[in-house]
Amino acid sequence: MSAQILDGKAIAADLREHIKRRVDELRAAGQRPPGLIVVLVGDDAASQVYVRNKQKACEHVGFHSELLRLPAATSQDELLALIDDLNLREDVDGILVQLPLPRHIDEDAVTERILPTKDVDGFHPYNIGRLVLRRPILRPCTPKGVMTMLTQTGIDLVGKDAVIIGQSNIVGRPMFLELLMARCTVTVCHSKTRDLADKLRGADIIVAAVGVPRFVKAEWVKPGAIVIDVGINRLDDGSLCGDVDTAAVTAVASWITPVPGGVGPMTVATLLENTLLAAELHAASDD
Ligand code: GUN
């Protein structure tokens, strides 16, 4: 078997076109475009690339977007005061503070300061709680984007055994909630998990979010499994690779996401989707 490629770049492009049309409709009806503010504190190299991609995507679909770059020495109080201002601004539908933050800033305090209705990352405890209760509003972008990709396979997810590797707040945990909501039976593995290979061998769906280059080996993958690679690792030669040994696993899986061009573009497109949703909810609450 040779896996079909789950083309995140193409699915994201479709999603962006859909969002762009909706923005055009809003403008035609005399409404302002959705507004997203991205806040970058410091000069982390990977974060610079990510926020640039988010900016470009916003421009493409016609959102109003601003990138606020703050020095690494910005205090927590200064950042919280900025968020308070953005929370009050009527032209701002979404606020995204790029993570990681410098170590002197408490990420939880920052995440919780953003109004839940403007939390387009879906990281606020209110939005995570809604997802736990199966009544989500703004959902974390990477797991939601993965669900959009899984839907594109046309495979019925109900009752499937899914294994997630990684338990982060950004990916692993909300991914667990998404797959559970789709009625999969979900296992979350992490650095203390025993017999990881055994757990993976039973999986119909594998989501790898470990941050270790080519960690998932072909021998661990059940023939016909769907393999989603959330990893983006930069190798010494400057090239990118995921958390899955893609070349070998492609011979075993039914579907696989490439890196780059898989989950990454879907995360950005889903951020746009969330910002549009936030804008529509804000507009409805003004009516
Ligand atoms: N850093 C890595 N991924 C993300 C993300 O999805 N949102 C934010 N705000 N920071 C990140």
Side-chain angles (χ1 to χ4, degrees), residues 134-157:
R134 291 180 275 182
R135 291 186 291 141
I137 302 177
L138 292 170
R139 297 150 63 175
C141 299
T142 300
K144 183 181 173 191
V146 169
M147 296 312 292
T148 305
M149 294 176 102
L150 288 173
T151 304
Q152 288 286 321
T153 66
I155 294 169
D156 183 8
L157 301 180

Side-chain angles (χ1 to χ4, degrees), residues 184-197:
C184 294
T185 303
V186 195
T187 304
V188 182
C189 299
H190 48 78
S191 60
K192 303 287 184 243
T193 296
R194 285 180 287 152
D195 304 324
L196 175 71

Side-chain angles (χ1 to χ4, degrees), residues 156-209:
D156 183 8
L157 301 180
V158 177
K160 292 282 188 289
D161 290 320
V163 176
I164 300 162
I165 321 172
Q167 57 153 347
S168 71
N169 289 349
I170 294 182
V171 181
R173 285 165 190 258
M175 192 74 249
F176 164 77
L177 296 168
E178 289 283 356
L179 288 164
L180 187 61
M181 195 163 63
R183 300 165 74 198
C184 294
T185 303
V186 195
T187 304
V188 182
C189 299
H190 48 78
S191 60
K192 303 287 184 243
T193 296
R194 285 180 287 152
D195 304 324
L196 175 71
D198 280 352
K199 293 185 171 60
L200 286 179
R201 279 190 199 104
D204 303 306
I205 301 166
I206 295 173
V207 180

Side-chain angles (χ1 to χ4, degrees), residues 15 19 85 100 109 117 122 126 154-155 168 181 194 213 239 250 258 267 285:
L15 197 51
I19 293 166
D85 288 345
T117 58
Y126 173 83
I155 294 169
S168 71
M181 195 163 63
R194 285 180 287 152
S239 65
T250 296
T267 297
S285 69

Side-chain angles (χ1 to χ4, degrees), residues 82-95:
L82 171 66
I83 293 170
D84 290 343
D85 288 345
L86 298 173
N87 280 340
L88 289 171
R89 264 177 62 179
E90 288 200 353
D91 61 329
V92 174
D93 298 296
I95 303 167

Side-chain angles (χ1 to χ4, degrees), residues 47 50 54 96-100 121 123 140-142 170-171 267:
S47 293
Y50 296 146
K54 290 171 185 175
L96 181 146
V97 178
Q98 186 66 26
L99 303 177
D121 261 325
F123 294 163
C141 299
T142 300
I170 294 182
V171 181
T267 297

